[in-house]
Amino acid sequence: MNSRPEDLVPNPRRQLLEQTLTKVRARVAILETALDPAHGRLTGRRTWVGPKARTFTEDLTARRVRLRQAARALVDALEEELRSAPAKVPPSAARY
């Protein structure tokens, strides 16, 4: 039996996903910039030089990129899940 549009209610799962996405985006913004100060100090001026410094800076740069990619993947996964969740559902489907 199909529900009529007027019988549908807001999808609590979608609402939860929206709330979670808002929180995750705020935390991702912090994560994405977490290594920027150290990276800026090492790449912005000659704070530390030599082969070990270069290796460390390259490793820090790579980790910074991976951290940003992982953080972005979390947001992308939540956004995809949100897109697949209908805004309204039958009352019987609105329970957890």
Side-chain angles (χ1 to χ4, degrees), residues 57-89:
T57 302
E58 289 167 359
D59 185 50
L60 179 63
T61 299
R63 289 173 189 265
R64 184 172 165 246
V65 168
R66 286 196 310 271
L67 178 64
R68 287 178 177 195
Q69 289 170 339
R72 186 71 236 160
L74 286 171
V75 172
D76 291 346
L78 280 170
E79 287 174 343
E80 184 177 336
E81 192 67 27
L82 185 59
R83 282 190 297 275
S84 71
K88 296 204 172 201
V89 294

Short mmCIF file of all heavy atoms in Angstrom, two decimals, residues 57-89:
data_model
loop_
_atom_site.label_atom_id
_atom_site.label_comp_id
_atom_site.label_asym_id
_atom_site.label_seq_id
_atom_site.Cartn_x
_atom_site.Cartn_y
_atom_site.Cartn_z
N THR A 57 59.60 17.55 6.43
CA THR A 57 58.65 18.46 5.79
C THR A 57 57.84 17.75 4.71
O THR A 57 56.62 17.95 4.61
CB THR A 57 59.38 19.68 5.20
OG1 THR A 57 60.09 20.35 6.26
CG2 THR A 57 58.42 20.66 4.55
N GLU A 58 58.48 16.91 3.93
CA GLU A 58 57.76 16.13 2.92
C GLU A 58 56.74 15.20 3.57
O GLU A 58 55.61 15.07 3.09
CB GLU A 58 58.75 15.35 2.06
CG GLU A 58 59.57 16.22 1.13
CD GLU A 58 60.75 15.48 0.50
OE1 GLU A 58 60.95 14.27 0.79
OE2 GLU A 58 61.48 16.12 -0.27
N ASP A 59 57.14 14.57 4.67
CA ASP A 59 56.24 13.67 5.38
C ASP A 59 55.06 14.46 5.97
O ASP A 59 53.91 14.03 5.88
CB ASP A 59 56.99 12.92 6.49
CG ASP A 59 56.11 11.89 7.17
OD1 ASP A 59 55.48 11.08 6.46
OD2 ASP A 59 56.07 11.89 8.42
N LEU A 60 55.35 15.60 6.56
CA LEU A 60 54.29 16.45 7.12
C LEU A 60 53.32 16.89 6.03
O LEU A 60 52.10 16.86 6.21
CB LEU A 60 54.90 17.67 7.82
CG LEU A 60 53.91 18.64 8.44
CD1 LEU A 60 53.10 17.98 9.55
CD2 LEU A 60 54.64 19.87 8.97
N THR A 61 53.85 17.27 4.89
CA THR A 61 53.01 17.69 3.76
C THR A 61 52.11 16.55 3.31
O THR A 61 50.91 16.74 3.09
CB THR A 61 53.89 18.19 2.60
OG1 THR A 61 54.65 19.31 3.05
CG2 THR A 61 53.05 18.60 1.40
N ALA A 62 52.68 15.36 3.20
CA ALA A 62 51.90 14.19 2.78
C ALA A 62 50.81 13.87 3.80
O ALA A 62 49.67 13.56 3.43
CB ALA A 62 52.81 12.99 2.57
N ARG A 63 51.14 13.94 5.07
CA ARG A 63 50.15 13.65 6.11
C ARG A 63 49.04 14.70 6.12
O ARG A 63 47.88 14.39 6.36
CB ARG A 63 50.82 13.57 7.48
CG ARG A 63 51.67 12.33 7.64
CD ARG A 63 52.47 12.35 8.94
NE ARG A 63 53.42 11.27 8.97
CZ ARG A 63 53.19 10.10 9.55
NH1 ARG A 63 52.03 9.88 10.14
NH2 ARG A 63 54.12 9.17 9.53
N ARG A 64 49.43 15.93 5.87
CA ARG A 64 48.45 17.02 5.80
C ARG A 64 47.46 16.76 4.67
O ARG A 64 46.24 16.92 4.83
CB ARG A 64 49.21 18.33 5.59
CG ARG A 64 48.38 19.56 5.58
CD ARG A 64 49.35 20.76 5.55
NE ARG A 64 48.69 21.98 5.19
CZ ARG A 64 48.91 22.67 4.07
NH1 ARG A 64 49.80 22.27 3.20
NH2 ARG A 64 48.25 23.77 3.85
N VAL A 65 47.96 16.34 3.53
CA VAL A 65 47.10 16.02 2.39
C VAL A 65 46.18 14.85 2.72
O VAL A 65 44.97 14.89 2.47
CB VAL A 65 47.95 15.71 1.13
CG1 VAL A 65 47.11 15.09 0.03
CG2 VAL A 65 48.64 16.97 0.64
N ARG A 66 46.75 13.79 3.33
CA ARG A 66 45.93 12.61 3.68
C ARG A 66 44.86 12.96 4.72
O ARG A 66 43.74 12.46 4.65
CB ARG A 66 46.81 11.47 4.16
CG ARG A 66 47.57 10.80 3.04
CD ARG A 66 48.14 9.43 3.44
NE ARG A 66 48.88 9.42 4.67
CZ ARG A 66 50.19 9.65 4.79
NH1 ARG A 66 50.91 9.94 3.73
NH2 ARG A 66 50.78 9.59 5.97
N LEU A 67 45.21 13.79 5.68
CA LEU A 67 44.25 14.19 6.69
C LEU A 67 43.08 14.93 6.04
O LEU A 67 41.91 14.67 6.34
CB LEU A 67 44.92 15.08 7.74
CG LEU A 67 44.02 15.63 8.84
CD1 LEU A 67 43.45 14.49 9.69
CD2 LEU A 67 44.79 16.60 9.72
N ARG A 68 43.39 15.84 5.13
CA ARG A 68 42.34 16.58 4.44
C ARG A 68 41.48 15.66 3.58
O ARG A 68 40.26 15.81 3.52
CB ARG A 68 42.95 17.69 3.59
CG ARG A 68 43.46 18.83 4.44
CD ARG A 68 44.09 19.90 3.61
NE ARG A 68 44.51 21.00 4.48
CZ ARG A 68 44.84 22.20 4.04
NH1 ARG A 68 44.82 22.45 2.76
NH2 ARG A 68 45.20 23.13 4.90
N GLN A 69 42.11 14.70 2.91
CA GLN A 69 41.36 13.76 2.08
C GLN A 69 40.43 12.90 2.93
O GLN A 69 39.27 12.66 2.57
CB GLN A 69 42.31 12.87 1.27
CG GLN A 69 43.03 13.60 0.17
CD GLN A 69 44.14 12.77 -0.46
OE1 GLN A 69 44.65 11.81 0.14
NE2 GLN A 69 44.53 13.14 -1.67
N ALA A 70 40.94 12.42 4.06
CA ALA A 70 40.12 11.58 4.94
C ALA A 70 38.95 12.38 5.52
O ALA A 70 37.82 11.88 5.58
CB ALA A 70 40.98 11.01 6.07
N ALA A 71 39.21 13.60 5.92
CA ALA A 71 38.16 14.45 6.46
C ALA A 71 37.10 14.73 5.40
O ALA A 71 35.90 14.66 5.66
CB ALA A 71 38.76 15.76 6.98
N ARG A 72 37.54 15.01 4.19
CA ARG A 72 36.61 15.28 3.09
C ARG A 72 35.79 14.03 2.76
O ARG A 72 34.59 14.12 2.45
CB ARG A 72 37.41 15.72 1.85
CG ARG A 72 36.59 16.17 0.69
CD ARG A 72 35.92 17.49 0.95
NE ARG A 72 34.49 17.32 0.76
CZ ARG A 72 33.56 18.10 1.24
NH1 ARG A 72 33.87 19.14 1.95
NH2 ARG A 72 32.30 17.88 1.00
N ALA A 73 36.42 12.85 2.86
CA ALA A 73 35.70 11.60 2.59
C ALA A 73 34.57 11.39 3.59
O ALA A 73 33.51 10.87 3.22
CB ALA A 73 36.67 10.42 2.60
N LEU A 74 34.78 11.79 4.84
CA LEU A 74 33.72 11.68 5.84
C LEU A 74 32.52 12.54 5.45
O LEU A 74 31.37 12.08 5.50
CB LEU A 74 34.23 12.13 7.22
CG LEU A 74 35.17 11.20 7.94
CD1 LEU A 74 35.74 11.89 9.18
CD2 LEU A 74 34.46 9.92 8.33
N VAL A 75 32.79 13.76 5.08
CA VAL A 75 31.72 14.68 4.68
C VAL A 75 31.03 14.14 3.43
O VAL A 75 29.79 14.11 3.35
CB VAL A 75 32.26 16.11 4.44
CG1 VAL A 75 31.19 17.00 3.83
CG2 VAL A 75 32.76 16.70 5.76
N ASP A 76 31.81 13.68 2.47
CA ASP A 76 31.23 13.14 1.23
C ASP A 76 30.32 11.95 1.51
O ASP A 76 29.23 11.84 0.93
CB ASP A 76 32.33 12.74 0.25
CG ASP A 76 33.08 13.92 -0.32
OD1 ASP A 76 32.61 15.07 -0.18
OD2 ASP A 76 34.16 13.69 -0.91
N ALA A 77 30.75 11.06 2.41
CA ALA A 77 29.94 9.88 2.74
C ALA A 77 28.63 10.28 3.39
O ALA A 77 27.57 9.73 3.07
CB ALA A 77 30.73 8.94 3.65
N LEU A 78 28.69 11.24 4.29
CA LEU A 78 27.46 11.71 4.94
C LEU A 78 26.54 12.41 3.95
O LEU A 78 25.32 12.23 3.99
CB LEU A 78 27.79 12.64 6.10
CG LEU A 78 28.20 11.95 7.40
CD1 LEU A 78 28.74 12.97 8.40
CD2 LEU A 78 27.02 11.20 8.00
N GLU A 79 27.12 13.22 3.07
CA GLU A 79 26.31 13.90 2.06
C GLU A 79 25.62 12.89 1.13
O GLU A 79 24.46 13.06 0.78
CB GLU A 79 27.16 14.87 1.25
CG GLU A 79 27.57 16.10 2.03
CD GLU A 79 28.54 17.01 1.30
OE1 GLU A 79 29.19 16.56 0.32
OE2 GLU A 79 28.67 18.16 1.71
N GLU A 80 26.34 11.86 0.76
CA GLU A 80 25.76 10.83 -0.10
C GLU A 80 24.61 10.11 0.61
O GLU A 80 23.55 9.86 0.04
CB GLU A 80 26.84 9.83 -0.52
CG GLU A 80 26.35 8.78 -1.47
CD GLU A 80 27.45 7.84 -1.93
OE1 GLU A 80 28.63 8.22 -1.89
OE2 GLU A 80 27.12 6.70 -2.31
N GLU A 81 24.83 9.78 1.87
CA GLU A 81 23.79 9.12 2.66
C GLU A 81 22.57 10.03 2.79
O GLU A 81 21.43 9.58 2.68
CB GLU A 81 24.35 8.76 4.03
CG GLU A 81 23.48 7.85 4.84
CD GLU A 81 23.35 6.45 4.26
OE1 GLU A 81 24.26 5.99 3.55
OE2 GLU A 81 22.31 5.82 4.52
N LEU A 82 22.81 11.31 3.00
CA LEU A 82 21.72 12.28 3.12
C LEU A 82 20.92 12.38 1.82
O LEU A 82 19.69 12.44 1.85
CB LEU A 82 22.28 13.64 3.52
CG LEU A 82 21.28 14.75 3.80
CD1 LEU A 82 20.33 14.37 4.92
CD2 LEU A 82 22.00 16.03 4.14
N ARG A 83 21.62 12.38 0.70
CA ARG A 83 20.93 12.45 -0.60
C ARG A 83 20.02 11.25 -0.81
O ARG A 83 18.99 11.35 -1.49
CB ARG A 83 21.94 12.55 -1.75
CG ARG A 83 22.52 13.93 -1.94
CD ARG A 83 23.32 14.04 -3.23
NE ARG A 83 24.47 13.17 -3.27
CZ ARG A 83 25.67 13.48 -2.77
NH1 ARG A 83 25.88 14.64 -2.19
NH2 ARG A 83 26.68 12.62 -2.85
N SER A 84 20.39 10.11 -0.25
CA SER A 84 19.58 8.90 -0.46
C SER A 84 18.41 8.79 0.53
O SER A 84 17.56 7.91 0.37
CB SER A 84 20.46 7.66 -0.38
OG SER A 84 20.88 7.45 0.96
N ALA A 85 18.40 9.63 1.53
CA ALA A 85 17.33 9.57 2.53
C ALA A 85 16.18 10.49 2.12
O ALA A 85 16.38 11.69 1.94
CB ALA A 85 17.86 9.98 3.90
N PRO A 86 14.98 9.94 1.97
CA PRO A 86 13.84 10.79 1.59
C PRO A 86 13.51 11.78 2.70
O PRO A 86 13.72 11.52 3.89
CB PRO A 86 12.71 9.78 1.39
CG PRO A 86 13.10 8.58 2.15
CD PRO A 86 14.61 8.55 2.18
N ALA A 87 13.00 12.93 2.31
CA ALA A 87 12.64 13.96 3.28
C ALA A 87 11.45 13.53 4.13
O ALA A 87 11.36 13.86 5.31
CB ALA A 87 12.33 15.26 2.56
N LYS A 88 10.52 12.80 3.50
CA LYS A 88 9.32 12.35 4.22
C LYS A 88 9.13 10.86 4.01
O LYS A 88 9.48 10.32 2.97
CB LYS A 88 8.10 13.13 3.75
CG LYS A 88 8.21 14.61 4.05
CD LYS A 88 6.87 15.24 4.11
CE LYS A 88 7.05 16.66 4.62
NZ LYS A 88 5.83 17.18 5.16
N VAL A 89 8.58 10.24 5.03
CA VAL A 89 8.35 8.79 5.00
C VAL A 89 6.99 8.50 5.63
O VAL A 89 6.43 9.34 6.34
CB VAL A 89 9.46 8.03 5.77
CG1 VAL A 89 10.80 8.16 5.08
CG2 VAL A 89 9.53 8.49 7.22
#
